[in-house]
Amino acid sequence: MKLFVDTGDIEEVRQAAQWGIVDGVTTNPTLISKSGKGFKETVTAICDILPHGDISAEVVATNYDDMLKEALEISSWRENIVVKVPLIEPGIRLVRTLSEKGIRTNVTLVFSVSQALLAAKAGATYISNFVGRVDDISDDGMNAVAASVEMIHNYGFDSEILVASVRHPLHVVQAVEAGAHVSTMPFKIMQMLFKHPLTDIGLKRFLDDWNAAGLKVM
Ligand code: E4P
């Protein structure tokens, strides 16, 4: 499973990149607006920190012609950019156009299998299935993820199901169980994945015993 960080904070990307386990970054207009920096400046800085990662940057126009102009501009900034496109009618048309040009896409704001089907048929590289926002309205966001993963396998689509709107580590575990291809999550949730109280207790005991015996590595 690929792990992406969902952030517009360059410092968080820098820290996460040091772990050597991060496969990409997802941004959205809200995250970019919180970064305090310009769109291009933020996205290109993230691309340069993770040159082998997939970095999603989203168009903000909602009509086909302007979406296409923005997509071509954004994709020209760096080779590792994936153009993020909302699942609306001109968005699906745009994904088809970009896919024919060899430009990779991440279809966002996907909540149902029927929407995921449209994105897959248009040639989306990634399909961002939001889970937390569905849980927030008392439904189970992971249901659509499991069904969409099954659809991708049943019909042999090339798209990868990306679990987005992740709110806690259990969402990551459920994404693994559903066989999702990617999980994107806030930096603080990725940090939480490291944590287990028995790891901390176990490490303390090892080190206490080692130090009590007066041992040295070299
Ligand atoms: C995904 O790419 C989105 O940026 C993100 O996961 C949305 O998360 P939220 O529902 O917590 O805003």
Side-chain angles (χ1 to χ4, degrees), residues 5-7 25-31 34 56 58 84 106-109 111 128-134 136 162-167 184-186:
V5 189
D6 196 29
T7 187
V25 174
T26 47
T27 67
N28 64 36
T30 302
L31 293 170
K34 286 180 186 162
S56 290
E58 187 163 341
K84 208 167 173 190
N106 175 355
V107 177
T108 188
L109 292 168
F111 295 90
S128 284
N129 199 312
F130 283 40
V131 295
R133 294 187 193 192
V134 177
D136 289 344
L162 187 163
V163 178
S165 188
V166 161
R167 299 281 160 77
T184 191
M185 68 205 79

Side-chain angles (χ1 to χ4, degrees), residues 15-88:
Q15 285 184 52
Q18 289 175 351
W19 297 328
I21 51 145
V22 172
D23 302 292
V25 174
T26 47
T27 67
N28 64 36
T30 302
L31 293 170
I32 295 292
S33 73
K34 286 180 186 162
S35 74
K37 297 188 169 63
F39 183 27
K40 182 174 179 180
E41 181 191 356
T42 304
V43 170
T44 53
I46 292 173
C47 288
D48 294 344
I49 294 167
L50 272 178
H52 303 295
D54 288 346
I55 314 302
S56 290
E58 187 163 341
V59 298
V60 291
T62 54
N63 69 79
Y64 176 79
D65 291 340
D66 290 335
M67 289 171 96
L68 178 58
K69 278 185 207 145
E70 289 182 0
L72 295 177
E73 166 65 21
I74 292 168
S75 68
S76 74
W77 295 342
R78 291 291 186 278
E79 277 193 2
N80 55 333
I81 285 181
V82 178
V83 179
K84 208 167 173 190
V85 180
L87 199 143
I88 54 177

Side-chain angles (χ1 to χ4, degrees), residues 87 92 107 109-120 127 151:
L87 199 143
I92 289 299
V107 177
L109 292 168
V110 174
F111 295 90
S112 69
V113 187
S114 49
Q115 290 179 313
L117 174 63
L118 302 177
I127 301 173
M151 173 194 71

